[in-house]
């Protein structure tokens, strides 16, 4: 099972139906699926792979949702890192969970806890030129997300959520 598979089904069964609407902008299911699969392919070309933990510290935009689906399609594990956290908070989480890469907004400050990939012109050009990923990662109990919680201790824990869950 892969969460991105449900998006592919909707793109085939309801291609003209709006998938994302914000303000005056709309992305149809067929276009969202294509963008997700091109993003997954480009992420793969940037060295990300199934099983990698990828930190995501993006603004609350459609791009953020596309990234989550693309990482799911690739089989990478999403490590949510709030873009409003301080750099030391983000870097502590990236180091603790051994993030292979961290996806950041174009101008977000960052040091060196993990190599960063910025949502900038290179990102958008690379995705636009990428060949869509055809084969979704599908293995039993495929990791999807490290659900960060500090519970009552104040220390971050990351219970793993699978695609099946």
């Amino acid at each position: 099972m892969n969460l991105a598979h449900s998006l592919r089904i909707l793109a085939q069964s309801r291609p003209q139906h709006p998938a994302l609407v914000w303000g005056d902008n709309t992305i149809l299911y067929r276009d969202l699926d294509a963008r997700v699969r091109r993003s997954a392919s480009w992420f793969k070309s940037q060295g990300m792979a199934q099983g990698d933990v990828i930190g995501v510290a993006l603004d609350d935009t459609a791009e953020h949702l596309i990234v989550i689906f693309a990482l799911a399609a690739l089989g990478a594990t999403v490590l949510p890192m709030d873009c409003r956290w301080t750099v030391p908070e983000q870097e502590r989480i990236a180091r603790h969970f051994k993030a292979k890469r961290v996806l950041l907004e174009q101008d977000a400050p960052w040091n060196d806890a993990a190599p960063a990939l910025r949502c900038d012109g290179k990102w958008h050009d690379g995705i636009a030129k990428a060949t869509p990923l055809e084969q979704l990662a599908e293995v039993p109990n495929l990791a999807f997300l490290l659900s960060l919680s500090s519970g009552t201790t104040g220390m971050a824990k990351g219970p793993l959520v699978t695609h099946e869950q």
Side-chain angles (χ1 to χ4, degrees):
M1 165 154 205
N2 187 308
L3 183 66
H5 186 67
S6 61
L7 180 58
R8 185 171 280 181
I9 290 169
L10 287 166
Q12 292 169 350
S13 66
R14 304 177 78 181
Q16 300 290 338
H17 195 275
L20 296 176
V21 178
W22 72 103
D24 294 334
N25 303 300
T26 301
I27 298 178
L28 304 177
Y29 275 112
R30 69 160 189 236
D31 299 329
L32 178 60
D33 179 58
R35 173 72 186 221
V36 163
R37 292 186 296 116
R38 282 194 319 274
S39 297
S41 179
W42 189 69
F43 290 156
K44 185 175 183 178
S45 77
Q46 300 302 301
M48 293 176 237
Q50 181 174 320
D52 290 342
V53 173
I54 307 297
V56 179
L58 298 173
D59 291 337
D60 298 329
T61 64
E63 191 68 34
H64 192 150
L65 186 60
I66 290 166
V67 164
I68 290 171
F69 271 103
L71 292 173
L74 190 57
T77 304
V78 175
L79 174 62
M81 297 168 42
D82 196 311
C83 63
R84 292 167 287 275
W85 290 347
T86 65
V87 172
E89 288 171 323
Q90 290 174 337
E91 290 185 333
R92 183 174 56 84
I93 294 298
R95 281 190 191 98
H96 180 80
F97 291 102
K98 299 176 177 68
K100 180 174 184 175
R101 297 293 291 262
V102 174
L103 309 181
L104 299 166
E105 291 297 334
Q106 180 174 339
D107 298 324
W110 188 248
N111 292 323
D112 64 354
L117 186 61
R118 296 189 177 277
C119 187
D120 57 12
K122 178 185 173 192
W123 169 306
H124 293 292
D125 289 346
I127 290 170
K129 295 174 186 172
T131 302
L133 184 73
E134 288 301 321
Q135 186 64 39
L136 300 178
E138 301 237 11
V139 296
N141 296 315
L142 181 62
F144 168 58
L145 173 84
L146 288 164
S147 179
L148 298 183
S149 169
S150 62
T152 58
T153 66
M155 297 298 295
K157 294 175 246 349
L160 185 62
V161 177
T162 68
H163 285 256
E164 284 87 3
Q165 292 170 316

